[in-house]
Amino acid sequence: MCKFARYADFSREAFDMVLAEAGKLAERAFYPTNKLGDVQGCRFENGQVKVPDSFHEPYRLYRDGGWIAMADSPEVGGQGLPVALSTACVEMFGAANWSLTMYSGLTHGAAHLLQRHGAPELQKLYMDNLFSFNWAGTMCLTEPGAGTDVGNLRTKAQRQPDGTFKITGQKIFISSGMHDLTENIVHMVLARIDGAPKGTRGISIFLVPRLRVDESGELVDNDVACAGIEHKMGIHGSATCTLNFGENGGCTGYVMGGENQGMHIMFDMMNEARLFVGIQGLAHASSAYLHALQYSKERIQGSSIENMKDPDAPRTPIILHPDVRRMLMFMKSSSEGLRGLMYLAGYCIDRVRVAETQEERELFEGYVDLLIPVCKSVGSDLGFRVCETAIQVYGGYGYIREYPVEQMMRDCKIASIYEGTNGIQALDLVGRKLAFKQGKLLKDGLKAAGKIISKARQNYRLRDLVQIYDEAQESLVQLTKYFGLKSITGEFEVPVLYAKPCLDLFGDVIMGFILLWQADLADRRLHEIYAEHGAADEGSRSRLLHENRECAFYFGKICSARFFVNHVLTQAAGKVRGIMNNDKSALEIPDEGFALD
Ligand SMILES: Cc1cc2nc3c(=O)[nH]c(=O)nc-3n(C[C@H](O)[C@H](O)[C@H](O)COP(=O)(O)OP(=O)(O)OC[C@H]3O[C@@H](n4cnc5c(N)ncnc54)[C@H](O)[C@@H]3O)c2cc1C
């Protein structure tokens, strides 16, 4: 990144230092509060919400370290670091304690929204306190009758003579909606102005502070009340609230970016929020994998397969059992693939920021648009599967609360639901992103991937893997063409029905690409190390793999790619065949046919 003027003042050493500091904060301050937060949870007392007691200190350290604005420009108090780097930091904070990380993620989203769409007077009053995390922020979309169907919302905004709006209505499931980490909370609320069109076209977005800054600069109550907190399966330390706006007629809102622009603005802000949720899946996956790995080295059970029948054979750590190793490889390759995917999205966002021409900007915006629904959906779904596999590695101990992985699985599940369910991500990918300009985004993406993969293709040791990748990519292309054809012939229901499997396949192909990219680099470096050590034969190389950590690391990277390509990408053709058989059983079955009443 440092070759771009925007990041020229930084260096690799500076980036390494930031990562090391984030790692320390995550490990020493965030992680010890993870379980405490899960056990104590948030409490609703006398209309106020208390976060777990242990969260206050790490919050202060995080706020004082300026972490929230690390990738924002210095004009708003940020440190101007690359988004790719902040992505890595969010992973570490999230892996250590996702519930706590939620407060900062939503606050950053609100601050960024204000920066991009707020009037200068509003920015002056509220923005600094958000970017410094002295105050917190929220996104208030959901209502009882308006979940996925946001256009059905009932919260109202009534125009006032001074240009402000009176807000009335109820929002549910609002993360960080009320809490005692900060003095004030700035809500971004979707509502409909009196007389505005029905549906999503008539939605506006309002800045609604819990405490409003009045004419004299004092903070005054703005009639936002918490009616209770939701009791959830996971993320117990994250306050999920029901909020009532304007119960006493005293809730003032300020329209952002013009009337009826709410959905347009939400779309503009979606990429950040969806990437954040994708990173949640990665964070849980990564943490669950590392815990399971450690456990598998410590837990002694059974004997090696060679001595299976000998009751006197020495007992071994479970990491020596092939089935456990297979689960570990699934977790390792999935976590590394997800990490590559999230960081790649962060990198593409950086390239949008530093683009020198309109053409370059649009190209990278296209990559971001294409990657985001995949990051969000695959990150959360695969993250959950990795957590579930971690429990399997732990056996019965994984299922009980004394061990950490059951919390990770509970905490992870919500990621496939909020910020647009994964079904909706798939419709976004298939209906908007893949369909855009007859598949232009996909073509651009595959072209860029092709250039990178061509290096791996020249590496004869990876040639068989690249061939499987090519076949999987071709299956994906065939599927998108099939969807295009179905749309032209008016059979829209087919792409809609199979949008999610298509997204999953797309995720497989991107992760396969990323793992192969890494494997090629790893393979080249590994052979340099062999040469440096004069390890020319199998025996000396094998010894080196056990003695030299760097060798083991690179060999491990190649194994991740081999495992993923052989066990996931080989299934691509079968998955596509299943879809292209045009099976409509899920549509044709009568409701009664699912089960008789
Ligand atoms: C812990 C937690 C935190 C949350 N935080 C926030 C927050 O901070 N701010 C906020 O505004 N909201 C928040 N939410 C709400 C969350 O975003 C919604 O729950 C989510 O958008 C789904 O809405 P719903 O629950 O009403 O489900 P529904 O919309 O009822 O969906 C139920 C199922 O039907 C499917 N479905 C619905 N409509 C369609 C369609 N048109 N096509 C295909 N499938 C469809 C869905 O994919 C899903 O599988 C939070 C929720 C939870 C549980």
Side-chain angles (χ1 to χ4, degrees), residues 87-115:
T87 306
C89 294
V90 174
E91 180 195 340
M92 287 192 270
F93 295 129
N97 186 338
W98 184 259
S99 292
L100 181 56
T101 306
M102 286 279 284
Y103 295 94
S104 60
L106 287 151
T107 301
H108 187 266
H112 199 192
L113 198 152
L114 182 56
Q115 182 191 14

Side-chain angles (χ1 to χ4, degrees), residues 47 166-170 178 221-228 242-252:
K166 282 267 166 278
I167 308 291
T168 45
Q170 186 180 68
M178 178 82 86
D221 186 78
N222 195 36
D223 195 13
V224 181
C226 178
T242 297
L243 295 180
N244 290 337
F245 294 91
E247 277 179 317
N248 305 307
C251 179
T252 302

Side-chain angles (χ1 to χ4, degrees), residues 102 106 138-150 171-177 188 190 230 232-235 238-241 266 414 416-425 427 496:
M102 286 279 284
L106 287 151
T138 73
M139 295 286 166
C140 301
L141 286 71
T142 307
E143 299 178 13
T148 302
D149 191 3
V150 184
K171 297 283 176 182
I172 59 167
F173 290 156
I174 303 307
S175 301
S176 322
M188 298 293 172
L190 289 188
E230 269 89 32
K232 312 186 293 286
M233 171 182 182
I235 56 168
S238 166
T240 313
C241 307
M266 284 320 293
I414 186 58
S416 63
I417 297 169
Y418 57 22
E419 208 36 61
T421 61
N422 285 357
I424 298 303
Q425 303 302 318
L427 292 176
V496 170

Side-chain angles (χ1 to χ4, degrees), residues 6 25 83 112 114 126 136 149 163 220-221 225 271 290 322-323 345 357 378 387 411 460 468 473 493 503 520 589:
R6 184 178 176 129
L25 182 61
V83 175
H112 199 192
L114 182 56
Y126 296 96
D149 191 3
V220 295
D221 186 78
N271 283 348
L290 293 176
D323 189 53
T357 62
V378 176
C387 293
D411 284 357
Y460 72 93
I468 298 172
Q473 184 191 297
E493 72 277 16
L503 181 148
D520 182 42
I589 182 172

Side-chain angles (χ1 to χ4, degrees), residues 60-80:
R60 267 194 291 276
L61 293 170
Y62 181 93
R63 179 198 61 194
D64 296 349
W67 289 101
I68 196 167
M70 64 177 283
D72 293 288
S73 62
E75 291 91 76
V76 297
Q79 299 175 44

Side-chain angles (χ1 to χ4, degrees), residues 373-437:
V374 185
C375 287
K376 194 287 180 178
S377 180
V378 176
S380 53
D381 277 348
L382 195 53
F384 182 77
R385 283 181 55 211
V386 170
C387 293
E388 175 248 326
T389 309
I391 294 179
Q392 197 68 20
V393 169
Y394 271 77
Y397 298 92
Y399 194 67
I400 61 174
R401 295 226 160 160
E402 278 72 10
Y403 291 83
V405 286
E406 66 85 34
Q407 183 192 344
M408 287 168 202
M409 194 182 95
R410 285 187 287 106
D411 284 357
C412 189
K413 184 55 215 163
I414 186 58
S416 63
I417 297 169
Y418 57 22
E419 208 36 61
T421 61
N422 285 357
I424 298 303
Q425 303 302 318
L427 292 176
D428 177 42
L429 179 76
V430 170
R432 292 180 63 234
K433 311 291 173 61
L434 291 181
F436 182 70
K437 286 193 187 167

Side-chain angles (χ1 to χ4, degrees), residues 449-505:
K451 271 193 200 152
I452 292 167
I453 283 294
S454 69
K455 294 201 181 121
R457 191 170 283 116
Q458 287 155 18
N459 183 340
Y460 72 93
R461 287 181 294 269
L462 298 178
R463 209 168 279 156
D464 55 335
L465 298 184
V466 174
Q467 193 182 338
I468 298 172
Y469 167 80
D470 284 341
E471 287 163 12
Q473 184 191 297
E474 183 50 29
S475 296
L476 175 68
V477 170
Q478 289 309 320
L479 180 61
T480 57
K481 285 186 182 161
Y482 175 74
F483 279 180
L485 200 70
K486 288 286 168 193
S487 304
I488 291 169
T489 55
E491 285 181 77
F492 290 106
E493 72 277 16
V494 175
V496 170
L497 179 60
Y498 291 113
K500 181 62 170 54
C502 175
L503 181 148
D504 292 342
L505 177 64

